[in-house]
Amino acid sequence: MNDSGTRHTHRPLGAAALLLTALTATTALAATTACAGPARAERSGAASTDPAAARSARTPADSLQGVWRMDGYGTLVALRGRSLRTYETTGISCLPGSVSGTRAGAPGAHGSLRFTIADSAPITVVPAGAGRARLTIEDNVGRRTLHRIDALPARCTRRTPHDPRTVFDIFWQTYAENYPFFHAKKIDWTAVRDRFRPQITAKTSEDELFAVFRKMIEPLHDAHTRVVVSKDKWFAGMRPGTVLPTAESTARMDKAIAANLGPGVIRHQWADGRLSYADLPGRLGYFHVTSFAHYTKKGDYAGDVAELDRALDAVFTKARTQGPHSLRGLIVDVRLNGGGADPLGLRIASRLTGRPYLAYRKRTRNDPHDPTRFTTPQPSRIRPYQGPVHTGPIAVLTGRLTVSAGETFTQALMGRSPTPLRIGENTQGVFSDVLGRTLPNGWSFGLPNEEFLTADGRTFDGPGIPPAVRTPVFTDHELSARRDSALTRARELLAQGAPEEGR
């Protein structure tokens, strides 16, 4: 989900950068998340004229060779020799996907194969019985089920026309088959097609087609929808009332936070300022998380994990978590968090509990004709870190710029005991990984196709997760006065011994 890039070092972050990273940057992540590629069947090892002998000589890893259909995601995965390749499909199209990889090392336990993906997290495929396999992505929560198919469909090997009407049809069809929220948002997608398709002809210009696509998805008000022509020409949705931060407003936010932390408070930083912590008077702690990605210059997930653990080891020490001088309460601030990798949020949550609990259950739309059909929900659980953990009261600060992985992290804390007290405003309301797609004219676009469910089956897509204590968050009035009502209220409630939410 993504990187917000807001830093205490005041490195500038313009609106465009935030949208393509914080609100939009899931494209690269989601391309990995939503895909896992195909290839034609090819047996490894020596050939045999005796079919029975050949079958007995095959290893579990050999059984993965071939073409697989992913349950949900409209994706085919082809494994051939040491290569992995994805294909993006709809009922009318099949295009080469953006994910391709090379097998790393020898097969692992149970015949698992691990693939290195350029500029993305590694992918692992594991046999799961006759005609089935499981695919996992290192920086992604959950797994995908693969079903073997006989061969790559013929249309996957043919050149797809790139005229405006074909491009329009694939764009519309991809949303029709994968987007889960048309009913909730009161959008008749068939009516959208009927309105706009007659406007598209062989002579429709690039600007005209882009304008149509924008008009089609803008009413969804969904920050995980986007269409990208180039780095200078793109559109991404957002919830009404969302104001993207500029370099100037980000600096003002930081000054307001600093003023309300108080004089003499030292903020320790990691991950180029994306993670910071301060001890406050009254044995309170302030942990600020502005991103769940890009913690190192290299930007790889393994590096992010190592840097996050380094920060968490420094914050959650024995002195802060045990004994007479331990923290009475902790403020976790994700008000300006554009997201990133969901597992990093779970990693933080594991330092905030002494008992295991359900974070959420994740499911994917998997019927192109029925938007109410989903995969079986997969549970993600928080397991306590085997070391110092903070089990006392927590206040979580949220706002409409709490986006994507910032929101799944907030949701992951809801099952904690004592329940964190959420303070501020509703989060943005986008939880799914972004299903990244490429059009035959070279444009890319994205959309959500997953739901993150609470224990009782609720989702917060659209309105976002609401606070228990509502306060202004980074309004112009607050910033002009260097006031931070959410932070001030959190300090007051924790100092008083904040009650569990809902009591």
Side-chain angles (χ1 to χ4, degrees):
M1 294 168 156
N2 315 343
D3 161 39
S4 74
T6 310
R7 307 172 177 91
H8 288 306
T9 51
H10 300 153
R11 289 173 63 182
L13 177 72
L18 181 73
L19 245 178
L20 285 180
T21 53
L23 303 184
T24 307
T26 350
T27 303
L29 174 67
T32 317
T33 291
C35 305
R40 297 171 187 260
E42 176 177 297
R43 183 178 299 172
S44 61
S48 170
T49 56
D50 181 347
R55 284 195 298 272
S56 65
R58 295 179 72 185
T59 68
D62 292 326
S63 68
L64 292 174
Q65 296 293 307
V67 184
W68 303 82
R69 175 182 58 80
M70 189 178 291
D71 193 3
Y73 302 93
T75 299
L76 299 179
V77 180
L79 303 179
R80 183 193 308 178
R82 302 183 64 85
S83 71
L84 176 150
R85 179 71 186 271
T86 64
Y87 292 79
E88 303 165 359
T89 71
T90 69
I92 62 171
S93 63
C94 179
L95 292 163
S98 60
V99 176
S100 60
T102 303
R103 197 173 95 189
H110 310 294
S112 64
L113 299 180
R114 190 170 187 268
F115 295 88
T116 300
I117 312 297
D119 300 321
S120 295
I123 287 174
T124 300
V125 184
V126 184
R132 290 168 60 90
R134 293 192 303 270
L135 182 146
T136 57
I137 304 161
E138 193 171 277
D139 63 356
N140 184 253
V141 168
R143 63 181 184 272
R144 286 141 179 65
T145 299
L146 304 180
H147 303 273
R148 182 180 293 282
I149 62 176
D150 292 336
L152 204 60
R155 68 170 176 262
C156 296
T157 62
R158 293 195 295 260
R159 181 179 177 276
T160 302
H162 58 276
D163 61 282
R165 275 210 158 182
T166 299
V167 172
F168 176 95
D169 289 342
I170 294 174
F171 181 83
W172 182 90
Q173 190 76 26
T174 303
Y175 270 82
E177 294 183 7
N178 294 282
Y179 193 74
F181 309 121
F182 288 126
H183 178 74
K185 300 195 175 192
K186 298 180 174 57
I187 298 293
D188 183 339
W189 195 239
T190 299
V192 171
R193 179 192 60 195
D194 294 344
R195 175 188 172 190
F196 288 106
R197 194 174 191 277
Q199 301 177 25
I200 309 301
T201 71
K203 296 182 178 179
T204 297
S205 70
E206 179 180 281
D207 287 345
E208 290 169 337
L209 186 60
F210 174 76
V212 165
F213 285 173
R214 174 171 180 158
K215 290 176 184 176
M216 291 169 70
I217 63 175
E218 192 166 13
L220 297 173
H221 301 301
D222 190 323
H224 276 174
T225 62
R226 75 285 314 268
V227 56
V228 180
V229 177
S230 67
K231 67 177 182 178
D232 299 317
K233 187 174 185 177
W234 50 268
F235 170 77
M238 67 181 71
R239 201 176 79 208
T242 302
V243 178
L244 295 177
T246 63
E248 179 186 3
S249 66
T250 299
R252 294 175 72 201
M253 293 175 197
D254 194 64
K255 289 177 181 178
I257 291 171
N260 288 270
L261 290 178
V265 170
I266 299 173
R267 283 185 281 179
H268 305 279
Q269 299 183 16
W270 302 266
D272 194 24
R274 289 171 168 84
L275 305 168
S276 63
Y277 175 82
D279 286 309
L280 306 180
R283 289 168 39 212
L284 300 181
Y286 174 77
F287 188 35
H288 196 189
V289 184
T290 65
S291 172
F292 288 108
H294 303 303
Y295 288 166
T296 65
K297 289 182 179 180
K298 185 177 180 182
D300 64 311
Y301 179 69
D304 287 347
V305 169
E307 181 67 3
L308 176 61
D309 285 349
R310 188 171 76 89
L312 295 177
D313 288 343
V315 172
F316 298 102
T317 61
K318 186 175 180 180
R320 289 196 182 100
T321 58
Q322 302 173 31
H325 302 294
S326 61
L327 293 177
R328 295 181 58 216
L330 176 68
I331 300 167
V332 181
D333 189 349
V334 288
R335 287 175 295 175
L336 192 59
N337 186 306
D342 295 323
L344 296 183
L346 300 183
R347 210 169 184 92
I348 296 176
S350 73
R351 305 281 186 131
L352 301 175
T353 183
R355 64 170 185 85
Y357 67 89
L358 177 70
Y360 41 68
R361 294 178 298 137
K362 181 177 176 179
R363 67 180 186 178
T364 305
R365 184 179 164 187
N366 72 338
D367 188 319
H369 307 292
D370 185 351
T372 68
R373 297 278 299 274
F374 288 81
T375 58
T376 301
Q378 293 182 30
S380 293
R381 298 187 64 79
I382 304 298
R383 293 177 174 80
Y385 176 72
Q386 298 302 302
V389 295
H390 173 74
T391 58
I394 294 177
V396 181
L397 310 186
T398 66
R400 66 189 63 205
L401 293 178
T402 306
V403 184
S404 197
E407 299 183 84
T408 65
F409 169 66
T410 302
Q411 185 171 347
L413 295 178
M414 293 174 65
R416 179 189 186 270
S417 181
T419 305
L421 189 64
R422 297 190 304 275
I423 301 175
E425 297 177 340
N426 287 47
T427 65
Q428 176 68 204
V430 289
F431 295 76
S432 172
D433 299 301
V434 176
L435 182 63
R437 286 292 186 254
T438 302
L439 289 165
N441 65 349
W443 296 3
S444 63
F445 69 104
L447 65 156
N449 67 323
E450 303 166 335
E451 290 184 332
F452 283 66
L453 307 176
T454 61
D456 59 1
R458 288 184 299 157
T459 69
F460 297 101
D461 289 280
I465 300 175
V469 178
R470 191 169 294 277
T471 69
V473 173
F474 299 140
T475 63
D476 187 66
H477 179 71
E478 290 253 312
L479 295 178
S480 295
R482 291 198 181 180
R483 182 182 299 126
D484 190 337
S485 295
L487 176 55
T488 299
R489 190 66 175 139
R491 294 184 68 171
E492 292 171 351
L493 291 172
L494 288 176
Q496 297 167 10
E500 286 191 50
E501 185 175 315
R503 286 191 178 181

